[in-house]
């Protein structure tokens, strides 16, 4: 019997494990998911926590409850991968041998890389979102600055989505005229997906969100409430929301499998780690230059599950990942957009409408039932 070890019980790891359990017979392989705290977190819900519309406790579930019964679950931190020995070393000295390894360890946040980050709030973790919610509840007017602290970062549309939702939130509270919304982008445009930039720029204009491009955060001064850029600009704030810099997971870096950012060089079609015929990579952990998103991890996970199932039977891998991503963004006032794209086809500017907003709400509601369980 062959051993398949999946590192990380987030979106990508859960989809691979459950899809493979469906596509293979019990006797073909033993599937083991390793997750450091055994909790699965639905991160798109963080935005709604900040607005006081989402109970934080409902965004977290025990990973065990999301996995098929035949999948083993180990709650432990993976500390090192020995690709030569085909072994994963866990905290406490335990080892797991594998025939196939799937790395789905996501991204790690690094607020400490920005001097003065303690002067900012963010919504990229559950604790951060609760802190921002509390700060917003007490906020009655002034400059609210949303700044992206480095690329790549997960869910590229989320900062722009946050600006739109804050426009809605302050309008509902009747204080929109007392709030200046400012958006600082490190890129040469407002929105990371180039073909949608004109649409988002127009939406920001209508919502009176002031934008600055080529603003790469150098430091924050919490005393004078100023954020400075590498390009030499200074912006004042009353409330700062900054997206922390990201890297790949420590286990990837400590095992020498990552690039300078800790992202794993990955073949964009087979999803094999470059130079390794038995290590697959899904989700944020790859270095593939497409959106780091749950939708990406989901589609990649299905491909990897199919391919490992085929190889266990001695067949050739049947699937290639084509870069497919589909996701919804909430633009406030019960309107949204849907984006669909792949390696060959960039997203076409979509209509802003209620149907796409309802699509987003439906995914938020059905996520637990459908996605991690690999039912779609
Ligand atoms: C505010 C916000 C909004 C978002 N909105 C959307 C959206 O609308 N649509 C969308 O598609 N995506 C969205 N995303 C992005 C999405 O949540 C991530 O891209 C997705 O979760 C990545 O999946 P993953 O499986 O790669 O990693 P994750 O889901 O982050 O899972 C990684 C897992 O690995 C575990 N792990 C890490 N290191 C170790 C280790 N050493 N040992 C053991 N376990 C380890 C972690 O505990 C974690 O459980 C959003 C993200 C944020 C923050």
């Amino acid at each position: 019997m062959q051993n398949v070890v999946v590192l990380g019980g987030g979106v990508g790891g859960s989809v691979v494990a459950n899809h493979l359990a469906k596509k293979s017979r019990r006797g073909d392989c033993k599937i083991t998911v390793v997750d450091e705290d055994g909790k699965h977190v639905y991160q798109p819900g963080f935005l709604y926590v900040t607005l006081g519309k989402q109970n934080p406790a409902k965004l977290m579930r025990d990973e065990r409850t999301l996995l098929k019964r035949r999948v083993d679950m180990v709650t432990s931190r993976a500390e090192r991968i020995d690709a030569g020995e085909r072994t994963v070393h866990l905290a406490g000295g335990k080892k797991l041998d594998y025939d196939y390894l799937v790395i789905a360890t996501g991204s790690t946040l690094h607020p400490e890389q920005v001097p003065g980050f303690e002067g900012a709030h963010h919504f990229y973790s559950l604790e951060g979102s609760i802190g921002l919610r509390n700060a917003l509840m007490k906020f009655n007017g002034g400059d609210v600055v949303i700044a992206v602290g480095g690329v790549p970062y997960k869910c590229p549309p989320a900062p722009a989505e946050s600006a739109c939702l804050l426009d809605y939130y302050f309008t509902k509270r009747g204080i929109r005229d007392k709030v200046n919304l400012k958006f600082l982008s490190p890129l040469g445009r407002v929105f990371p997906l180039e073909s949608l930039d004109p649409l988002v720029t127009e939406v920001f204009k209508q919502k009176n969100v002031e934008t600055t491009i080529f603003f790469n955060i150098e430091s924050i001064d919490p005393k004078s409430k100023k954020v400075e850029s590498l390009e030499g600009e200074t912006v004042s704030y009353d409330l700062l929301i900054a997206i922390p810099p990201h890297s790949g997971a420590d286990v990837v870096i400590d095992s020498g499998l990552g690039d300078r950012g800790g992202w794993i060089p990955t073949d964009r079609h087979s999803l094999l780690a470059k130079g390794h015929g038995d290590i697959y990579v899904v989700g944020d952990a790859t270095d593939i230059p497409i959106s780091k998103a749950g939708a990406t991890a989901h589609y990649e996970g299905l491909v990897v599950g199919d391919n490992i199932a085929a190889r266990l039977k001695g067949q050739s891998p049947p699937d290639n990942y084509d870069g497919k991503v589909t996701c919804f963004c909430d633009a406030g006032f019960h309107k949204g957009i849907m984006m669909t794209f792949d390696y060959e086809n960039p997203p076409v500017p979509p209509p802003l409408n209620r149907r796409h907003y309802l699509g987003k709400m439906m995914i938020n509601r059905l996520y637990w039932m459908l996605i991690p369980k690999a039912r779609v």
Side-chain angles (χ1 to χ4, degrees):
M1 174 123 86
Q2 306 218 46
N3 283 325
V4 180
V5 173
V6 179
L7 292 188
V11 187
S14 307
V15 171
V16 174
N18 283 327
H19 191 59
L20 178 60
K22 238 190 302 182
K23 291 293 180 111
S24 61
R25 287 179 310 231
R26 267 175 198 276
D28 290 344
C29 64
K30 179 174 186 274
I31 308 167
T32 307
V33 171
V34 179
D35 191 87
E36 65 182 325
D37 58 9
K39 302 284 183 220
H40 186 116
V41 183
Y42 181 58
Q43 301 170 32
F46 295 167
L47 274 169
Y48 298 95
V49 170
T50 66
L51 308 176
K53 286 181 148 196
Q54 169 68 55
N55 175 352
K58 296 217 161 147
L59 295 180
M60 201 187 282
R61 294 211 181 165
D62 282 337
E63 174 66 5
R64 176 66 268 173
T65 64
L66 300 169
L67 295 173
K68 285 191 175 292
R69 225 178 301 158
R70 69 167 275 209
V71 177
D72 287 346
M73 167 83 209
V74 173
T75 302
S76 182
R77 183 175 168 77
E79 294 201 317
R80 197 169 53 81
I81 297 158
D82 185 334
E85 294 289 324
R86 295 177 151 196
T87 302
V88 178
H89 295 263
L90 304 181
K94 212 180 151 201
K95 288 195 284 188
L96 287 175
D97 295 330
Y98 64 81
D99 297 287
Y100 293 102
L101 177 66
V102 180
I103 303 179
T105 42
S107 337
T108 304
L109 306 178
H110 291 284
E112 77 289 350
Q113 286 178 2
V114 178
F117 197 95
E118 64 279 7
H121 289 277
H122 73 86
F123 56 88
Y124 266 60
S125 68
L126 203 48
E127 306 72 47
S129 310
I130 294 169
L132 176 56
R133 177 196 66 191
N134 296 342
L136 282 168
M137 278 181 346
K138 288 188 231 140
F139 190 78
N140 291 314
D143 291 336
V144 175
V145 174
I146 301 167
V148 176
V151 283
Y153 63 95
K154 57 187 156 185
C155 195
E161 210 175 355
S162 160
C164 293
L165 289 172
L166 286 177
D167 168 63
Y168 177 64
Y169 170 85
F170 290 126
T171 305
K172 286 281 150 190
R173 281 186 51 197
I175 58 167
R176 181 66 183 92
D177 57 338
K178 297 192 177 69
V179 177
N180 299 317
L181 277 175
K182 298 183 181 178
F183 190 88
L184 312 178
S185 166
L187 306 170
R189 54 182 179 270
V190 170
F191 201 63
L193 300 167
E194 198 172 357
S195 59
L196 299 191
D197 182 57
L199 171 74
V200 177
T201 301
E202 182 54 35
V203 169
F204 274 12
K205 219 192 249 173
Q206 286 165 13
K207 293 182 185 293
N208 206 10
V209 178
E210 214 177 281
T211 58
T212 305
I213 57 170
F214 290 127
F215 192 104
N216 285 280
I217 304 180
E218 182 169 43
S219 62
I220 297 164
D221 183 348
K223 274 204 189 123
S224 63
K225 295 201 162 192
K226 286 190 168 64
V227 51
E228 291 202 7
S229 75
L230 288 169
E231 291 81 2
E233 275 187 83
T234 303
V235 172
S236 306
Y237 65 85
D238 294 296
L239 182 78
L240 175 63
I241 303 170
I243 313 308
H246 287 36
S247 79
D250 288 349
V251 62
V252 169
I253 296 165
D254 296 343
S255 308
L257 290 170
D259 62 14
R260 280 177 50 174
W263 313 112
I264 304 170
T266 305
D267 182 273
R268 66 187 203 143
H269 293 299
S270 71
L271 301 174
L272 280 163
K274 286 184 181 163
H276 300 273
D278 50 7
I279 302 181
Y280 287 92
V281 194
V282 296
D284 292 359
T286 78
D287 74 337
I288 305 173
I290 51 171
S291 292
K292 293 194 183 297
T296 312
H298 172 211
Y299 292 125
E300 289 175 342
L302 296 174
V303 170
V304 168
D306 280 339
N307 287 355
I308 296 178
R311 289 179 69 184
L312 289 168
K313 292 179 198 139
Q315 298 164 358
S316 325
D319 266 6
N320 256 335
Y321 178 57
D322 61 1
K324 182 177 173 188
V325 182
T326 299
C327 56
F328 293 91
C329 288
D330 188 341
F333 294 91
H334 302 123
K335 289 198 174 151
I337 56 172
M338 186 180 83
M339 292 170 286
T340 300
F341 49 98
D342 58 37
Y343 291 141
E344 304 303 327
N345 304 289
V348 248
L352 191 68
N353 62 27
R354 185 170 165 81
R355 190 156 59 88
H356 294 153
Y357 163 78
L358 292 174
K360 172 116 188 170
M361 294 303 111
M362 200 172 71
I363 290 186
N364 287 346
R365 193 167 279 200
L366 298 180
Y367 175 79
W368 296 110
M369 212 166 70
L370 297 180
I371 311 284
K373 294 184 177 174
R375 287 189 170 139
V376 287

